[in-house]
Structure formats: structure tokens, C-alpha cells
Amino acid sequence: MKHLSLPDAALWRRLPFYLAAEEWAARVLPPDDYFFAWRVAPTVICGRNQDMAAEVDLDYCRTHGIDVVRRRSGGGCVYADRNNWMFSYITPSDDISTTFSRYTLLVSDMLRSLGFDARPTGRNDIVIDDRKVSGNAFYHIPGRSIVHGTMLFDVDMATMGRAITPSRSKLESKRVHSVQSRVTCLRVEGIDMNVAAFGRYAIEYICGTDVYAVGVGELEQIERIEQTYYSPEFLHGRMSSAEQTADSGVIRRAGRIDGVGEIDLHIRLDNVGRISSVNISGDFFVLSELDKAVVRHLRGVPFTPADVGKALAGVDCGAIAGLTAESLYRLIYP
């Protein structure tokens, strides 16, 4: 595992810079396993397919100087600040389960070496005594996979709880009543080092002395990728749930599918009852382009159980990790 070492000129950038750095590594560097750790000013990071207005208290974030950005990976919203680490893992792999398993076991082993009873849970979380200390998301490009996520060292629970407003169904699926009730941090668990020392320990444990030093000239390539994260189409392109449900021509179907996550469908019909567009949002993981893999099969289809069932028959819905055509159909027609 190589430590992707960024120069001093890359310290304390806005969060999309580090997302761009891992994307650059996945697209440009020779095939290998890379890891780096980074910290940012207070930021909420939304998953690629989430409805930002439904998941984040945007007024609270604006008032309190909390940046709100979007990443290319799926999954749910997370909060980060200077008292917490973000980890990035880049690997030449196409398999989501193997990639998650290897990474979460590696990070759990690192925490266990410090005396914590840490273990992976589900597919993408790491817990200490059943409370999440690390949540991770997955992003895939051909031949490469990226796992990135939080490592909660000393989280401001009150700020996190106000900034992120997850849906009731998500909380109920985990049998908890708030964001704060299902997370912990290393400071609460009794870690005996400061945040900077912990970051150095994690990098050394995971990477040893193997380093790829990013040159100052390579920062320009990363910065060009970074700009794509600020485009209005990427950051705010999704119509909010409130806007869509106010439109009488839009039918909404939402639910949580085991092994997939939350899916929120907004199905627009034309004046003769055919599907003209489908917007899919949620905290699921995306493996390929949703429009080409799923949505195009539904356009122009009469919105009836028989016609939608026929349109979905044989469709590979694996662009959303874990989703089947049958489970998508049951969401549309409960």
C-alpha cells in the first residue's frame, strides 16, 4: 500500500480538492493500492444521488459557515471538520464487496492495534461497541475503485446533528432516533493521542514506508478535476423533493431496500400517461451510469403494472449495487 503524500501546498484545501486527488490517482497513476488521510474545515458531504435539500439543513450550514458539497460516490451524508480524519483508498479492483471488505478490515485492524474493539459491520461501516466510528462510500471507474470515508476522532455531535437531517425511514431501519445516537468518536472511546498523532499512526500502520510523493506540478492536474465538483449541474442539478412533489405530473415512490439503501423515485408522466422521465435519488452505491442502465428502459412506457413489469423484465439493474429489477418493480408498485 502506497501512501499518497501531498505537498504542503495541498494542505487545508476545500474538500473537493481531496476528492479530485483520489480521482486523479485512480485515473493517472500506475495500478497499485494507494491510501491518504486528510482534514478539512467544517463540511457536509452529500452522496452523488442524494436530494441535498432533503438531507441537509442548508440554512443552518450557511449561518454557521459549514461548506456543503457533493461527491461522486453513493451513500449518505457525512459531516467532517478539522477534528476528524477523512481516509481515501484507491485500488485496481472492479468488485465492490471485495474492495469494501479489504478496506474496512484493514482500518478495523488499525483501530484494534490501539486497543479498540473495532469491527466492520454491514457493508461499509466500522463500529466500536455497535456505534459507528467510520462510514464509507464507494466510487468506481473502469478498472479502479475508490473507497473514502470518515474517521471520527473528536466529532462535534451537536453541529453534526443539526447540519444533517436524515430521513425517518433511514433512522427507523437502524432502530435509532437521531444521528447522534448511532455514532461515537475515538476521543469519547478514550484514545491517548491527539488528532495529528493519530493521523500519522494510521498512515504508518496502513502504508509502512511505501510512499508516492505528489509533485507540485501534479497539483495542477488535480485542481482541474476539482473544478468539476463546483459546477452547478453537479452540485445542485437534482430537483428537490419539495419541488417535484409540488408538480402534479410527478409520481413519487420511496422506500428502503435491504442490501441497497434508500431509493427515492420521481416519475414524470406525459399527457397520455406515459413515463417521460425518472429521477432516482438516495444513498445507494452506483456502479455505472443510471440513465443508460436503468432509466432508458422506462421512458415512453405506459405507467401501468403490466407495461412497467414488461419493460423491466430482464433488465440488469446492477448499476445500483444490490438492486434487482424485481425489487425496483415492487418499489414502484408496492
Side-chain angles (χ1 to χ4, degrees):
M1 183 86 69
K2 284 185 169 63
H3 173 217
L4 196 70
S5 178
L6 298 170
D8 290 343
L11 295 178
W12 305 121
R13 301 286 190 102
R14 287 184 69 187
L15 188 141
F17 171 84
Y18 302 101
L19 300 179
E22 62 191 22
E23 187 176 340
W24 169 82
R27 295 184 184 279
V28 173
L29 294 185
D32 208 334
D33 287 337
Y34 300 93
F35 174 86
F36 70 106
W38 38 285
R39 289 186 286 160
V40 292
T43 305
V44 171
I45 313 101
C46 291
R48 176 65 183 92
N49 297 286
Q50 287 191 292
D51 180 347
M52 189 178 286
E55 299 285 341
V56 182
D57 188 332
L58 295 173
D59 289 337
Y60 178 86
C61 290
R62 278 190 291 266
T63 301
H64 291 80
I66 300 170
D67 203 3
V68 181
V69 300
R70 190 183 296 280
R71 60 182 188 268
R72 298 200 196 284
S73 59
C77 287
V78 297
Y79 171 80
D81 60 29
R82 296 182 193 273
N83 289 320
N84 299 289
W85 284 98
M86 304 293 287
F87 289 166
S88 294
Y89 169 56
I90 304 101
T91 186
S93 168
D94 284 318
D95 185 85
I96 183 171
S97 297
T98 301
T99 302
F100 264 131
S101 177
R102 182 182 182 206
Y103 172 75
T104 55
L105 281 171
L106 184 61
V107 175
S108 295
D109 286 346
M110 181 271 293
L111 292 175
R112 293 178 73 88
S113 75
L114 291 170
F116 298 111
D117 184 19
R119 60 181 176 84
T121 185
R123 178 170 52 187
N124 57 312
D125 291 345
I126 298 170
V127 299
I128 296 175
D129 295 329
D130 293 324
R131 298 180 73 191
K132 183 163 73 171
V133 72
S134 174
N136 301 283
F138 176 91
Y139 173 47
H140 177 259
I141 63 175
R144 300 289 183 95
S145 293
I146 296 168
V147 176
H148 49 201
T150 57
M151 177 52 63
L152 300 179
F153 185 89
D154 191 13
V155 67
D156 182 342
M157 297 285 189
T159 298
M160 180 176 66
R162 288 292 306 275
I164 299 175
T165 56
S167 70
R168 181 176 297 276
S169 66
K170 183 183 298 183
L171 294 176
E172 288 176 347
S173 74
K174 297 179 181 293
R175 296 181 174 85
V176 294
H177 302 291
S178 68
V179 174
Q180 298 97 314
S181 69
R182 58 182 292 254
V183 300
T184 188
C185 64
L186 298 181
R187 179 65 69 202
V188 167
E189 299 297 328
I191 194 168
D192 188 23
M193 61 177 70
N194 63 33
V195 64
F198 170 73
R200 291 192 295 270
Y201 179 89
I203 291 169
E204 183 176 352
Y205 183 95
I206 292 171
C207 300
T209 59
D210 202 357
V211 177
Y212 180 92
V214 177
V216 173
E218 291 173 315
L219 292 184
E220 295 180 1
Q221 300 174 41
I222 296 172
E223 288 165 349
R224 285 195 291 272
I225 297 174
E226 178 188 5
Q227 294 309 306
T228 65
Y229 286 84
Y230 300 125
S231 72
E233 294 78 14
F234 179 75
L235 190 59
H236 302 295
R238 293 192 176 280
M239 188 186 298
S240 73
S241 296
E243 292 174 310
Q244 296 208 44
T245 52
D247 186 338
S248 60
V250 172
I251 296 169
R252 183 181 182 190
R253 296 286 190 267
R256 189 166 189 85
I257 299 173
D258 288 344
V260 178
E262 283 195 326
I263 295 184
D264 196 343
L265 303 175
H266 292 84
I267 303 167
R268 187 181 298 277
L269 305 183
D270 62 20
N271 57 5
V272 293
R274 293 178 179 271
I275 298 172
S276 60
S277 66
V278 181
N279 184 75
I280 307 177
S281 61
D283 64 358
F284 46 81
F285 296 125
V286 178
L287 303 182
S288 62
E289 176 59 46
L290 290 181
D291 188 74
K292 293 180 181 178
V294 179
V295 174
R296 68 181 180 88
H297 296 283
L298 294 172
R299 290 198 190 99
V301 173
F303 190 66
T304 69
D307 288 301
V308 171
K310 183 178 179 180
L312 289 175
V315 172
D316 181 2
C317 294
I320 296 176
L323 185 67
T324 65
E326 181 183 358
S327 57
L328 179 60
Y329 179 84
R330 288 201 304 267
L331 180 62
I332 298 173
Y333 294 104

mmCIF file of all heavy atoms in Angstrom, residues 9-50:
data_model
loop_
_atom_site.group_PDB
_atom_site.id
_atom_site.type_symbol
_atom_site.label_atom_id
_atom_site.label_comp_id
_atom_site.label_asym_id
_atom_site.label_seq_id
_atom_site.Cartn_x
_atom_site.Cartn_y
_atom_site.Cartn_z
ATOM 1 N N ALA A 9 1.618 22.515 -0.132
ATOM 2 C CA ALA A 9 0.726 23.413 -0.871
ATOM 3 C C ALA A 9 -0.687 22.854 -0.986
ATOM 4 O O ALA A 9 -1.619 23.569 -1.365
ATOM 5 C CB ALA A 9 1.284 23.668 -2.271
ATOM 6 N N ALA A 10 -0.864 21.580 -0.646
ATOM 7 C CA ALA A 10 -2.187 20.951 -0.744
ATOM 8 C C ALA A 10 -2.898 20.881 0.597
ATOM 9 O O ALA A 10 -3.989 20.327 0.694
ATOM 10 C CB ALA A 10 -2.046 19.542 -1.312
ATOM 11 N N LEU A 11 -2.311 21.433 1.645
ATOM 12 C CA LEU A 11 -2.939 21.368 2.965
ATOM 13 C C LEU A 11 -4.077 22.373 3.089
ATOM 14 O O LEU A 11 -4.011 23.486 2.561
ATOM 15 C CB LEU A 11 -1.898 21.631 4.051
ATOM 16 C CG LEU A 11 -0.777 20.599 4.179
ATOM 17 C CD1 LEU A 11 0.206 21.020 5.270
ATOM 18 C CD2 LEU A 11 -1.348 19.211 4.476
ATOM 19 N N TRP A 12 -5.131 21.970 3.783
ATOM 20 C CA TRP A 12 -6.268 22.812 4.132
ATOM 21 C C TRP A 12 -6.969 23.410 2.918
ATOM 22 O O TRP A 12 -7.352 24.567 2.895
ATOM 23 C CB TRP A 12 -5.859 23.910 5.121
ATOM 24 C CG TRP A 12 -5.200 23.364 6.340
ATOM 25 C CD1 TRP A 12 -3.947 23.642 6.803
ATOM 26 C CD2 TRP A 12 -5.759 22.433 7.273
ATOM 27 N NE1 TRP A 12 -3.699 22.936 7.950
ATOM 28 C CE2 TRP A 12 -4.790 22.186 8.268
ATOM 29 C CE3 TRP A 12 -6.982 21.763 7.361
ATOM 30 C CZ2 TRP A 12 -4.999 21.313 9.325
ATOM 31 C CZ3 TRP A 12 -7.197 20.892 8.410
ATOM 32 C CH2 TRP A 12 -6.216 20.685 9.384
ATOM 33 N N ARG A 13 -7.144 22.589 1.902
ATOM 34 C CA ARG A 13 -7.976 22.974 0.761
ATOM 35 C C ARG A 13 -9.437 22.661 1.069
ATOM 36 O O ARG A 13 -9.762 21.977 2.046
ATOM 37 C CB ARG A 13 -7.550 22.189 -0.476
ATOM 38 C CG ARG A 13 -6.098 22.365 -0.894
ATOM 39 C CD ARG A 13 -5.834 23.706 -1.535
ATOM 40 N NE ARG A 13 -4.515 23.758 -2.137
ATOM 41 C CZ ARG A 13 -4.278 23.646 -3.444
ATOM 42 N NH1 ARG A 13 -5.276 23.472 -4.308
ATOM 43 N NH2 ARG A 13 -3.045 23.710 -3.920
ATOM 44 N N ARG A 14 -10.333 23.145 0.198
ATOM 45 C CA ARG A 14 -11.731 22.724 0.301
ATOM 46 C C ARG A 14 -11.836 21.248 -0.031
ATOM 47 O O ARG A 14 -11.012 20.682 -0.764
ATOM 48 C CB ARG A 14 -12.618 23.534 -0.653
ATOM 49 C CG ARG A 14 -12.844 24.963 -0.224
ATOM 50 C CD ARG A 14 -13.810 25.658 -1.175
ATOM 51 N NE ARG A 14 -15.169 25.127 -1.073
ATOM 52 C CZ ARG A 14 -16.151 25.475 -1.898
ATOM 53 N NH1 ARG A 14 -15.924 26.310 -2.895
ATOM 54 N NH2 ARG A 14 -17.363 24.959 -1.736
ATOM 55 N N LEU A 15 -12.872 20.620 0.485
ATOM 56 C CA LEU A 15 -12.972 19.164 0.397
ATOM 57 C C LEU A 15 -12.925 18.628 -1.030
ATOM 58 O O LEU A 15 -12.296 17.593 -1.272
ATOM 59 C CB LEU A 15 -14.228 18.688 1.124
ATOM 60 C CG LEU A 15 -14.365 17.183 1.270
ATOM 61 C CD1 LEU A 15 -14.932 16.825 2.638
ATOM 62 C CD2 LEU A 15 -15.251 16.603 0.181
ATOM 63 N N PRO A 16 -13.552 19.262 -2.031
ATOM 64 C CA PRO A 16 -13.485 18.696 -3.379
ATOM 65 C C PRO A 16 -12.069 18.530 -3.920
ATOM 66 O O PRO A 16 -11.850 17.685 -4.803
ATOM 67 C CB PRO A 16 -14.293 19.697 -4.217
ATOM 68 C CG PRO A 16 -15.308 20.228 -3.254
ATOM 69 C CD PRO A 16 -14.539 20.370 -1.972
ATOM 70 N N PHE A 17 -11.109 19.286 -3.411
ATOM 71 C CA PHE A 17 -9.737 19.086 -3.858
ATOM 72 C C PHE A 17 -9.273 17.657 -3.564
ATOM 73 O O PHE A 17 -8.619 17.017 -4.400
ATOM 74 C CB PHE A 17 -8.790 20.084 -3.185
ATOM 75 C CG PHE A 17 -7.338 19.788 -3.445
ATOM 76 C CD1 PHE A 17 -6.730 20.231 -4.611
ATOM 77 C CD2 PHE A 17 -6.589 19.036 -2.544
ATOM 78 C CE1 PHE A 17 -5.391 19.934 -4.868
ATOM 79 C CE2 PHE A 17 -5.258 18.736 -2.789
ATOM 80 C CZ PHE A 17 -4.655 19.186 -3.960
ATOM 81 N N TYR A 18 -9.617 17.144 -2.388
ATOM 82 C CA TYR A 18 -9.163 15.808 -1.993
ATOM 83 C C TYR A 18 -9.941 14.716 -2.739
ATOM 84 O O TYR A 18 -9.388 13.658 -3.040
ATOM 85 C CB TYR A 18 -9.277 15.649 -0.475
ATOM 86 C CG TYR A 18 -8.480 16.712 0.244
ATOM 87 C CD1 TYR A 18 -9.109 17.833 0.785
ATOM 88 C CD2 TYR A 18 -7.099 16.629 0.325
ATOM 89 C CE1 TYR A 18 -8.378 18.823 1.410
ATOM 90 C CE2 TYR A 18 -6.358 17.620 0.954
ATOM 91 C CZ TYR A 18 -6.997 18.724 1.484
ATOM 92 O OH TYR A 18 -6.270 19.715 2.092
ATOM 93 N N LEU A 19 -11.207 14.991 -3.038
ATOM 94 C CA LEU A 19 -11.945 14.070 -3.905
ATOM 95 C C LEU A 19 -11.302 14.024 -5.294
ATOM 96 O O LEU A 19 -11.193 12.953 -5.903
ATOM 97 C CB LEU A 19 -13.402 14.506 -4.023
ATOM 98 C CG LEU A 19 -14.220 14.567 -2.724
ATOM 99 C CD1 LEU A 19 -15.637 15.048 -3.027
ATOM 100 C CD2 LEU A 19 -14.245 13.221 -2.030
ATOM 101 N N ALA A 20 -10.890 15.178 -5.764
ATOM 102 C CA ALA A 20 -10.215 15.234 -7.067
ATOM 103 C C ALA A 20 -8.864 14.518 -7.015
ATOM 104 O O ALA A 20 -8.452 13.888 -7.999
ATOM 105 C CB ALA A 20 -10.030 16.688 -7.493
ATOM 106 N N ALA A 21 -8.169 14.602 -5.871
ATOM 107 C CA ALA A 21 -6.867 13.946 -5.739
ATOM 108 C C ALA A 21 -7.003 12.431 -5.858
ATOM 109 O O ALA A 21 -6.199 11.772 -6.536
ATOM 110 C CB ALA A 21 -6.220 14.319 -4.407
ATOM 111 N N GLU A 22 -8.026 11.871 -5.226
ATOM 112 C CA GLU A 22 -8.193 10.423 -5.313
ATOM 113 C C GLU A 22 -8.656 10.027 -6.716
ATOM 114 O O GLU A 22 -8.252 8.978 -7.238
ATOM 115 C CB GLU A 22 -9.168 9.920 -4.243
ATOM 116 C CG GLU A 22 -10.555 10.467 -4.346
ATOM 117 C CD GLU A 22 -11.430 10.175 -3.134
ATOM 118 O OE1 GLU A 22 -10.891 9.907 -2.040
ATOM 119 O OE2 GLU A 22 -12.671 10.236 -3.281
ATOM 120 N N GLU A 23 -9.480 10.851 -7.345
ATOM 121 C CA GLU A 23 -9.907 10.562 -8.715
ATOM 122 C C GLU A 23 -8.716 10.639 -9.669
ATOM 123 O O GLU A 23 -8.568 9.797 -10.561
ATOM 124 C CB GLU A 23 -10.999 11.551 -9.130
ATOM 125 C CG GLU A 23 -11.628 11.236 -10.464
ATOM 126 C CD GLU A 23 -12.770 12.179 -10.819
ATOM 127 O OE1 GLU A 23 -13.337 12.822 -9.908
ATOM 128 O OE2 GLU A 23 -13.081 12.258 -12.022
ATOM 129 N N TRP A 24 -7.865 11.633 -9.469
ATOM 130 C CA TRP A 24 -6.647 11.752 -10.279
ATOM 131 C C TRP A 24 -5.770 10.512 -10.105
ATOM 132 O O TRP A 24 -5.281 9.953 -11.093
ATOM 133 C CB TRP A 24 -5.892 13.010 -9.848
ATOM 134 C CG TRP A 24 -4.510 13.104 -10.409
ATOM 135 C CD1 TRP A 24 -4.147 13.550 -11.654
ATOM 136 C CD2 TRP A 24 -3.290 12.730 -9.757
ATOM 137 N NE1 TRP A 24 -2.788 13.482 -11.810
ATOM 138 C CE2 TRP A 24 -2.230 12.978 -10.659
ATOM 139 C CE3 TRP A 24 -2.988 12.221 -8.504
ATOM 140 C CZ2 TRP A 24 -0.898 12.731 -10.334
ATOM 141 C CZ3 TRP A 24 -1.674 11.971 -8.170
ATOM 142 C CH2 TRP A 24 -0.640 12.212 -9.075
ATOM 143 N N ALA A 25 -5.579 10.075 -8.876
ATOM 144 C CA ALA A 25 -4.752 8.891 -8.620
ATOM 145 C C ALA A 25 -5.326 7.670 -9.330
ATOM 146 O O ALA A 25 -4.592 6.859 -9.914
ATOM 147 C CB ALA A 25 -4.642 8.635 -7.117
ATOM 148 N N ALA A 26 -6.662 7.534 -9.281
ATOM 149 C CA ALA A 26 -7.301 6.376 -9.918
ATOM 150 C C ALA A 26 -7.176 6.412 -11.430
ATOM 151 O O ALA A 26 -7.059 5.367 -12.076
ATOM 152 C CB ALA A 26 -8.770 6.320 -9.518
ATOM 153 N N ARG A 27 -7.165 7.603 -12.007
ATOM 154 C CA ARG A 27 -7.162 7.714 -13.471
ATOM 155 C C ARG A 27 -5.761 7.823 -14.069
ATOM 156 O O ARG A 27 -5.559 7.462 -15.231
ATOM 157 C CB ARG A 27 -7.988 8.941 -13.898
ATOM 158 C CG ARG A 27 -9.469 8.836 -13.559
ATOM 159 C CD ARG A 27 -10.267 10.016 -14.080
ATOM 160 N NE ARG A 27 -11.667 9.963 -13.689
ATOM 161 C CZ ARG A 27 -12.596 9.238 -14.298
ATOM 162 N NH1 ARG A 27 -12.259 8.498 -15.346
ATOM 163 N NH2 ARG A 27 -13.844 9.247 -13.869
ATOM 164 N N VAL A 28 -4.798 8.297 -13.279
ATOM 165 C CA VAL A 28 -3.491 8.650 -13.843
ATOM 166 C C VAL A 28 -2.364 7.749 -13.356
ATOM 167 O O VAL A 28 -1.496 7.355 -14.146
ATOM 168 C CB VAL A 28 -3.162 10.129 -13.520
ATOM 169 C CG1 VAL A 28 -1.742 10.469 -13.949
ATOM 170 C CG2 VAL A 28 -4.172 11.056 -14.174
ATOM 171 N N LEU A 29 -2.333 7.396 -12.084
ATOM 172 C CA LEU A 29 -1.193 6.671 -11.533
ATOM 173 C C LEU A 29 -1.195 5.198 -11.959
ATOM 174 O O LEU A 29 -2.253 4.642 -12.274
ATOM 175 C CB LEU A 29 -1.204 6.768 -10.007
ATOM 176 C CG LEU A 29 -0.974 8.164 -9.427
ATOM 177 C CD1 LEU A 29 -0.888 8.097 -7.909
ATOM 178 C CD2 LEU A 29 0.293 8.806 -9.998
ATOM 179 N N PRO A 30 -0.032 4.565 -11.970
ATOM 180 C CA PRO A 30 0.035 3.137 -12.309
ATOM 181 C C PRO A 30 -0.822 2.303 -11.350
ATOM 182 O O PRO A 30 -1.004 2.680 -10.186
ATOM 183 C CB PRO A 30 1.530 2.806 -12.140
ATOM 184 C CG PRO A 30 2.226 4.115 -12.237
ATOM 185 C CD PRO A 30 1.288 5.142 -11.678
ATOM 186 N N PRO A 31 -1.358 1.174 -11.813
ATOM 187 C CA PRO A 31 -2.188 0.332 -10.944
ATOM 188 C C PRO A 31 -1.431 -0.084 -9.681
ATOM 189 O O PRO A 31 -0.340 -0.638 -9.750
ATOM 190 C CB PRO A 31 -2.507 -0.882 -11.827
ATOM 191 C CG PRO A 31 -2.375 -0.375 -13.219
ATOM 192 C CD PRO A 31 -1.262 0.624 -13.183
ATOM 193 N N ASP A 32 -2.019 0.228 -8.546
ATOM 194 C CA ASP A 32 -1.442 -0.115 -7.251
ATOM 195 C C ASP A 32 -2.473 0.262 -6.203
ATOM 196 O O ASP A 32 -3.515 0.854 -6.512
ATOM 197 C CB ASP A 32 -0.128 0.634 -7.007
ATOM 198 C CG ASP A 32 0.821 -0.131 -6.083
ATOM 199 O OD1 ASP A 32 0.316 -0.943 -5.260
ATOM 200 O OD2 ASP A 32 2.039 0.071 -6.183
ATOM 201 N N ASP A 33 -2.207 -0.086 -4.953
ATOM 202 C CA ASP A 33 -3.053 0.340 -3.844
ATOM 203 C C ASP A 33 -2.475 1.616 -3.256
ATOM 204 O O ASP A 33 -1.279 1.673 -2.908
ATOM 205 C CB ASP A 33 -3.110 -0.737 -2.758
ATOM 206 C CG ASP A 33 -3.943 -1.937 -3.179
ATOM 207 O OD1 ASP A 33 -4.798 -1.777 -4.061
ATOM 208 O OD2 ASP A 33 -3.732 -3.019 -2.622
ATOM 209 N N TYR A 34 -3.330 2.659 -3.143
ATOM 210 C CA TYR A 34 -2.905 3.951 -2.610
ATOM 211 C C TYR A 34 -3.834 4.331 -1.442
ATOM 212 O O TYR A 34 -5.026 4.007 -1.444
ATOM 213 C CB TYR A 34 -2.980 5.041 -3.674
ATOM 214 C CG TYR A 34 -2.115 4.785 -4.881
ATOM 215 C CD1 TYR A 34 -2.631 4.132 -6.002
ATOM 216 C CD2 TYR A 34 -0.786 5.193 -4.910
ATOM 217 C CE1 TYR A 34 -1.842 3.889 -7.119
ATOM 218 C CE2 TYR A 34 0.014 4.952 -6.030
ATOM 219 C CZ TYR A 34 -0.526 4.296 -7.123
ATOM 220 O OH TYR A 34 0.259 4.049 -8.228
ATOM 221 N N PHE A 35 -3.262 5.050 -0.498
ATOM 222 C CA PHE A 35 -4.027 5.491 0.677
ATOM 223 C C PHE A 35 -3.529 6.868 1.078
ATOM 224 O O PHE A 35 -2.331 7.142 1.023
ATOM 225 C CB PHE A 35 -3.814 4.509 1.833
ATOM 226 C CG PHE A 35 -4.444 4.942 3.143
ATOM 227 C CD1 PHE A 35 -5.770 4.641 3.423
ATOM 228 C CD2 PHE A 35 -3.706 5.641 4.084
ATOM 229 C CE1 PHE A 35 -6.349 5.043 4.620
ATOM 230 C CE2 PHE A 35 -4.276 6.050 5.288
ATOM 231 C CZ PHE A 35 -5.598 5.746 5.553
ATOM 232 N N PHE A 36 -4.467 7.761 1.455
ATOM 233 C CA PHE A 36 -4.047 9.010 2.077
ATOM 234 C C PHE A 36 -5.117 9.491 3.045
ATOM 235 O O PHE A 36 -6.276 9.059 2.996
ATOM 236 C CB PHE A 36 -3.660 10.081 1.053
ATOM 237 C CG PHE A 36 -4.785 10.666 0.240
ATOM 238 C CD1 PHE A 36 -5.255 11.951 0.482
ATOM 239 C CD2 PHE A 36 -5.346 9.954 -0.820
ATOM 240 C CE1 PHE A 36 -6.253 12.507 -0.293
ATOM 241 C CE2 PHE A 36 -6.348 10.506 -1.599
ATOM 242 C CZ PHE A 36 -6.810 11.785 -1.330
ATOM 243 N N ALA A 37 -4.699 10.348 3.964
ATOM 244 C CA ALA A 37 -5.579 10.871 5.007
ATOM 245 C C ALA A 37 -5.554 12.393 4.953
ATOM 246 O O ALA A 37 -4.512 12.994 4.681
ATOM 247 C CB ALA A 37 -5.118 10.377 6.383
ATOM 248 N N TRP A 38 -6.710 13.019 5.210
ATOM 249 C CA TRP A 38 -6.802 14.455 5.051
ATOM 250 C C TRP A 38 -7.856 15.021 6.003
ATOM 251 O O TRP A 38 -8.723 14.294 6.502
ATOM 252 C CB TRP A 38 -7.122 14.821 3.600
ATOM 253 C CG TRP A 38 -8.091 13.910 2.899
ATOM 254 C CD1 TRP A 38 -7.830 12.653 2.422
ATOM 255 C CD2 TRP A 38 -9.477 14.162 2.604
ATOM 256 N NE1 TRP A 38 -8.960 12.113 1.842
ATOM 257 C CE2 TRP A 38 -9.982 13.019 1.933
ATOM 258 C CE3 TRP A 38 -10.319 15.246 2.820
ATOM 259 C CZ2 TRP A 38 -11.295 12.930 1.502
ATOM 260 C CZ3 TRP A 38 -11.634 15.162 2.385
ATOM 261 C CH2 TRP A 38 -12.101 14.018 1.729
ATOM 262 N N ARG A 39 -7.741 16.315 6.268
ATOM 263 C CA ARG A 39 -8.701 17.008 7.135
ATOM 264 C C ARG A 39 -9.172 18.288 6.461
ATOM 265 O O ARG A 39 -8.453 18.861 5.647
ATOM 266 C CB ARG A 39 -8.065 17.339 8.492
ATOM 267 C CG ARG A 39 -7.827 16.130 9.369
ATOM 268 C CD ARG A 39 -7.343 16.538 10.756
ATOM 269 N NE ARG A 39 -5.959 16.988 10.738
ATOM 270 C CZ ARG A 39 -5.409 17.741 11.694
ATOM 271 N NH1 ARG A 39 -6.147 18.163 12.706
ATOM 272 N NH2 ARG A 39 -4.142 18.092 11.623
ATOM 273 N N VAL A 40 -10.369 18.713 6.822
ATOM 274 C CA VAL A 40 -10.965 19.893 6.185
ATOM 275 C C VAL A 40 -11.683 20.748 7.231
ATOM 276 O O VAL A 40 -11.965 20.302 8.342
ATOM 277 C CB VAL A 40 -11.987 19.491 5.093
ATOM 278 C CG1 VAL A 40 -11.289 18.849 3.913
ATOM 279 C CG2 VAL A 40 -13.057 18.571 5.663
ATOM 280 N N ALA A 41 -11.978 21.983 6.851
ATOM 281 C CA ALA A 41 -12.851 22.832 7.648
ATOM 282 C C ALA A 41 -14.251 22.209 7.671
ATOM 283 O O ALA A 41 -14.555 21.319 6.872
ATOM 284 C CB ALA A 41 -12.892 24.235 7.053
ATOM 285 N N PRO A 42 -15.141 22.639 8.579
ATOM 286 C CA PRO A 42 -16.465 22.018 8.687
ATOM 287 C C PRO A 42 -17.185 21.921 7.337
ATOM 288 O O PRO A 42 -17.376 22.918 6.641
ATOM 289 C CB PRO A 42 -17.197 22.945 9.648
ATOM 290 C CG PRO A 42 -16.117 23.482 10.531
ATOM 291 C CD PRO A 42 -14.941 23.679 9.601
ATOM 292 N N THR A 43 -17.584 20.683 6.994
ATOM 293 C CA THR A 43 -18.156 20.405 5.679
ATOM 294 C C THR A 43 -19.156 19.267 5.789
ATOM 295 O O THR A 43 -18.915 18.287 6.484
ATOM 296 C CB THR A 43 -17.062 19.992 4.670
ATOM 297 O OG1 THR A 43 -16.043 20.993 4.623
ATOM 298 C CG2 THR A 43 -17.642 19.801 3.278
ATOM 299 N N VAL A 44 -20.268 19.396 5.086
ATOM 300 C CA VAL A 44 -21.195 18.288 4.874
ATOM 301 C C VAL A 44 -20.986 17.783 3.455
ATOM 302 O O VAL A 44 -20.962 18.571 2.507
ATOM 303 C CB VAL A 44 -22.658 18.706 5.084
ATOM 304 C CG1 VAL A 44 -23.607 17.589 4.651
ATOM 305 C CG2 VAL A 44 -22.908 19.059 6.546
ATOM 306 N N ILE A 45 -20.836 16.459 3.317
ATOM 307 C CA ILE A 45 -20.594 15.845 2.019
ATOM 308 C C ILE A 45 -21.786 14.962 1.680
ATOM 309 O O ILE A 45 -22.061 13.986 2.386
ATOM 310 C CB ILE A 45 -19.311 15.007 2.010
ATOM 311 C CG1 ILE A 45 -18.151 15.781 2.643
ATOM 312 C CG2 ILE A 45 -18.973 14.582 0.592
ATOM 313 C CD1 ILE A 45 -17.851 15.367 4.063
ATOM 314 N N CYS A 46 -22.499 15.290 0.618
ATOM 315 C CA CYS A 46 -23.663 14.517 0.195
ATOM 316 C C CYS A 46 -23.264 13.461 -0.828
ATOM 317 O O CYS A 46 -22.349 13.674 -1.632
ATOM 318 C CB CYS A 46 -24.714 15.430 -0.437
ATOM 319 S SG CYS A 46 -25.498 16.547 0.723
ATOM 320 N N GLY A 47 -23.967 12.331 -0.794
ATOM 321 C CA GLY A 47 -23.762 11.300 -1.792
ATOM 322 C C GLY A 47 -24.211 11.753 -3.170
ATOM 323 O O GLY A 47 -25.019 12.673 -3.312
ATOM 324 N N ARG A 48 -23.702 11.087 -4.188
ATOM 325 C CA ARG A 48 -23.922 11.505 -5.568
ATOM 326 C C ARG A 48 -25.394 11.595 -5.935
ATOM 327 O O ARG A 48 -25.795 12.486 -6.696
ATOM 328 C CB ARG A 48 -23.220 10.488 -6.508
ATOM 329 C CG ARG A 48 -23.457 10.741 -7.995
ATOM 330 C CD ARG A 48 -22.842 12.055 -8.417
ATOM 331 N NE ARG A 48 -23.111 12.364 -9.812
ATOM 332 C CZ ARG A 48 -24.144 13.069 -10.238
ATOM 333 N NH1 ARG A 48 -25.040 13.518 -9.376
ATOM 334 N NH2 ARG A 48 -24.298 13.338 -11.512
ATOM 335 N N ASN A 49 -26.212 10.728 -5.400
ATOM 336 C CA ASN A 49 -27.609 10.673 -5.831
ATOM 337 C C ASN A 49 -28.586 11.161 -4.773
ATOM 338 O O ASN A 49 -29.777 10.892 -4.864
ATOM 339 C CB ASN A 49 -27.956 9.241 -6.239
ATOM 340 C CG ASN A 49 -27.124 8.791 -7.427
ATOM 341 O OD1 ASN A 49 -27.350 9.209 -8.545
ATOM 342 N ND2 ASN A 49 -26.125 7.964 -7.154
ATOM 343 N N GLN A 50 -28.088 11.888 -3.778
ATOM 344 C CA GLN A 50 -28.979 12.371 -2.731
ATOM 345 C C GLN A 50 -29.611 13.703 -3.086
ATOM 346 O O GLN A 50 -29.027 14.530 -3.799
ATOM 347 C CB GLN A 50 -28.210 12.511 -1.412
ATOM 348 C CG GLN A 50 -27.874 11.177 -0.766
ATOM 349 C CD GLN A 50 -27.366 11.357 0.643
ATOM 350 O OE1 GLN A 50 -26.288 11.888 0.854
ATOM 351 N NE2 GLN A 50 -28.139 10.909 1.609
#
